[in-house]
Amino acid sequence: MFPILKEGESLHFISDKEPNQSGFEVTLTIKRELYQNGRKQGLLGLDLKTGKPYFVKVLFCGDLDEVYVEKESKVRMYSPFIIRIYGGMLDREKNRFITLIEYRTEQDLSDLIRFGAMNQYGPEEKLAIKHKIVLKILYGIHHYMSMYETDPIVHRDLKPENVMASPDGEVVKIIDFDWVHLHKSNVTIMTRREQKGTLGYAEPKSWNSYAAKKQMDIYSAGLVFYFIYMEKHHFSGQDEITRYLLADDYAYTLKDTGSMDPSLRAILQKMIAKEEERYQNIEDVIRDFVHYLISVSCYPKIPELMMEEPGSRIKLYYRIGPITYSPVIKNNRFVPIEFGKKQIRSKNGVQSSHILSFYRVGEEIKAVILNPLCEKVKSKTKDEEVVSEGDCYIYADTEIEILKIKEME
C-alpha cells in the first residue's frame, strides 16, 4: 500500500537544489485529491501562509535505488504558454517523489473540444479563437526549442491532453513534461523500458525509443492542430493506429480535412510529412502560420508577443559563479537568469518569488523583473535597464556578470 497524501494532511516541500540555483520551500495543506492512478497521485495543495494553490504530483517509488529521475521537476521555463514547475523533492522516508507545479483550472484541449465549451461562440469567432490557441502553442514550443542551439529541449509527448486552454483562448499552457528531453541531459536514456509519447501523436519512427529531435514535436504539434481545427483525432481506432505504426506514407499524409483552408492544410501537411520533407524548425512553422493568418485577416493581437523579429540574431554571454551561459536572445523572449534564480519579495506581508530575466527589443538587451506569472513587475522609478558588456547584477545573493553581447551572422 502506497503512503498516499490525504485531505487535510500537511506537506512541507523543499525542492532538491540544482547547481547554482536556490531551492523552493513552502508548507502546504492538502485540499483534495484530483486523481490516483497506480503509483501516481495528483492533488490540490494550498500554501498555509498565502492560500496560493499548487498542483502536487506524487510518484511512489518501490525501490529508491532504481527511482526514476523525475525529469519534469527539472524543467525551468518561464513562458506565459508553458506551465510553471517549481521543482521536485525526493521523500526518502516514504519512498515517494513529489513535484510541485502551477495549478490551473482550465480544461485540456481534449475536454475543451469534447464538452463543447467553445460552442458558445459563433463559427467565425470560434475559428479565430482556434487560431489564437494554435499561435500560442507554437510560441510555447518555440520558447523551449530555442533556449539552446545544440541539443534542444524536446517535449516528446505533445497531444491534446497536454495543453490546457480557456474557451476564449486567452489562457494556453503546455503541460506534462514527464517525457521531456532536457538540454545535455543524461536522464533521457534510462533503465526504465516504457513507451515514450502517445500512440496517434508521437512520430511513429521514434515510438518507444530514446530519440530526441525537434522534428518529433513538430510532427506531434501538427496532429494537435488538426484536432483543434477538425475536433477529432487524425488517427483513431485500432486499424488506423496499426497502419500508422508502420510509418509508411499513411502516417505522414493528412486526410479528412473537410472545408479547411488549403493554405492552412498545407502547413499542417508539412508539419506531419516524412522527416526529410517536414519543417526542420519551429520558426518556419510560425512564419508560415503568421503569413496565413495575415492573408485571411485573422491575425490576433496577443500582448504577450512582439511578433516582428529583427533580421539578425544576438547572443548574450553571462557568467554566474564559474558557469557561463550563452543563449540567443529573441524579441520579448524572456531568458531568466539560471532559468529561474528567484528572489523572495514581500508585499503587504505576502511573499512571492520574482525572477530576474533578460529579453530583447530591437538591437537592445534589457534586464527586467518578472512576477511568478511571467509578467513584468512595473518599477515606479525607472524603465527596464539596458544591458551592456561588463555590467554586473547582484540578485538573490548571486553575482551575474555580462561578458559579451555578440551579433550572430
Side-chain angles (χ1 to χ4, degrees):
M1 187 67 183
F2 300 122
I4 62 172
L5 287 163
K6 299 179 180 178
E7 182 178 334
E9 188 175 343
S10 293
L11 169 67
H12 189 62
F13 178 89
I14 306 176
S15 66
D16 297 337
K17 293 184 179 181
E18 295 295 312
N20 296 304
Q21 287 191 350
S22 302
F24 182 82
E25 183 172 355
V26 64
T27 300
L28 304 171
T29 181
I30 301 303
K31 183 68 174 178
R32 69 174 183 272
E33 183 179 73
L34 302 175
Y35 67 82
Q36 186 180 351
N37 181 14
R39 296 194 301 128
K40 295 183 177 181
Q41 184 184 24
L43 309 111
L44 168 61
L46 301 180
D47 186 329
L48 277 175
K49 291 183 179 179
T50 67
K52 179 180 177 178
Y54 291 90
F55 176 51
V56 183
K57 195 171 182 177
V58 185
L59 173 71
F60 301 106
C61 316
D63 185 348
L64 288 181
D65 291 334
E66 299 177 359
V67 63
Y68 169 51
V69 178
E70 282 294 282
K71 294 181 293 177
E72 184 177 41
S73 71
K74 300 179 183 298
V75 172
R76 297 290 188 273
M77 287 181 276
Y78 297 83
S79 162
F81 314 127
I82 297 175
I83 203 75
R84 281 289 307 280
I85 299 173
Y86 297 94
M89 177 183 76
L90 179 59
D91 184 350
R92 294 183 178 277
E93 182 181 345
K94 296 187 177 180
N95 283 25
R96 60 192 182 190
F97 193 93
I98 300 169
T99 304
L100 207 60
I101 302 172
E102 175 186 0
Y103 178 75
R104 305 296 313 186
T105 58
E106 289 80 16
Q107 294 177 301
D108 64 50
L109 287 177
S110 181
D111 285 347
L112 194 68
I113 298 297
R114 186 158 54 104
F115 295 118
M118 297 171 64
N119 291 340
Q120 58 186 295
Y121 302 101
E124 290 187 7
E125 190 174 7
K126 185 177 179 181
L127 180 59
I129 291 170
K130 290 181 177 182
H131 290 331
K132 184 188 297 185
I133 291 173
V134 167
L135 191 57
K136 290 183 176 183
I137 294 172
L138 282 171
Y139 271 92
I141 296 171
H142 177 267
H143 181 88
Y144 65 74
M145 281 190 179
S146 64
M147 289 175 72
Y148 303 97
E149 287 191 282
T150 58
D151 192 25
I153 294 171
V154 184
H155 187 286
R156 300 204 306 163
D157 195 19
L158 292 174
K159 58 182 177 180
E161 291 81 2
N162 283 344
V163 179
M164 300 183 79
S166 58
D168 59 4
E170 289 303 307
V171 176
V172 174
K173 298 277 185 177
I174 299 173
I175 67 170
D176 202 343
F177 286 79
D178 274 354
W179 295 118
V180 69
H181 167 73
L182 296 172
H183 174 69
K184 294 186 178 179
S185 171
N186 62 355
V187 295
T188 298
I189 299 178
M190 302 167 292
T191 57
R192 202 169 75 149
R193 303 297 300 186
E194 294 184 78
Q195 67 189 38
K196 314 297 184 293
T198 298
L199 281 171
Y201 283 90
E203 153 68 78
K205 287 186 177 179
S206 302
W207 171 251
N208 203 28
S209 75
Y210 298 119
K213 297 180 180 179
K214 293 187 294 185
Q215 290 75 23
M216 294 166 54
D217 277 5
I218 291 173
Y219 179 90
S220 300
L223 295 178
V224 171
F225 298 162
Y226 177 91
F227 178 83
I228 292 172
Y229 288 114
M230 300 305 298
E231 302 190 0
K232 63 181 180 180
H233 300 296
H234 190 264
F235 299 109
S236 60
Q238 188 58 50
D239 291 343
E240 283 198 355
I241 294 297
T242 300
R243 289 192 63 187
Y244 142 90
L245 277 174
L246 294 175
D248 58 14
D249 290 346
Y250 187 78
Y252 303 104
T253 304
L254 202 64
K255 58 184 178 61
D256 300 333
T257 52
S259 59
M260 182 183 293
D261 187 294
S263 297
L264 177 58
R265 187 191 190 283
I267 294 172
L268 300 193
Q269 173 57 67
K270 192 171 180 180
M271 292 181 74
I272 72 162
K274 292 182 178 180
E275 188 171 341
E276 61 272 16
E277 301 169 0
R278 194 179 311 159
Y279 285 105
Q280 296 302 296
N281 58 71
I282 202 68
E283 290 90 348
D284 289 342
V285 183
I286 293 174
R287 179 203 63 213
D288 286 357
F289 187 66
V290 167
H291 287 170
Y292 161 70
L293 294 181
I294 292 173
S295 72
V296 295
S297 301
C298 287
Y299 186 50
K301 294 181 179 179
I302 300 176
E304 300 97 321
L305 301 178
M306 294 172 61
M307 307 300 293
E308 295 300 323
E309 290 287 357
S312 63
R313 298 186 303 160
I314 293 179
K315 199 167 188 178
L316 175 67
Y317 296 80
Y318 61 91
R319 182 170 60 213
I320 303 173
I323 300 177
T324 297
Y325 299 88
S326 56
V328 174
I329 302 292
K330 306 278 186 172
N331 251 357
N332 214 34
R333 306 294 181 268
F334 296 125
V335 180
I337 297 298
E338 296 186 291
F339 307 117
K341 192 70 176 181
K342 304 177 186 70
Q343 184 179 62
I344 304 299
R345 294 187 171 191
S346 178
K347 183 177 181 181
N348 298 327
V350 177
Q351 289 189 332
S352 61
S353 298
H354 285 57
I355 306 154
L356 173 63
S357 178
F358 296 137
Y359 75 109
R360 172 182 176 180
V361 177
E363 301 308 309
E364 289 185 333
I365 308 297
K366 292 189 175 184
V368 66
I369 303 297
L370 306 180
N371 69 13
L373 297 179
C374 293
E375 299 164 337
K376 297 179 186 178
V377 177
K378 293 182 179 179
S379 171
K380 295 181 180 179
T381 57
K382 61 180 180 179
D383 295 330
E384 292 85 43
E385 183 176 354
V386 176
V387 175
S388 301
E389 292 183 3
D391 285 350
C392 286
Y393 297 85
I394 303 296
Y395 191 77
D397 299 322
T398 301
E399 181 176 297
I400 303 101
E401 181 183 2
I402 307 301
L403 301 176
K404 182 166 57 173
I405 299 173
K406 181 180 178 181
E407 185 172 318
M408 309 293 289
E409 295 181 357

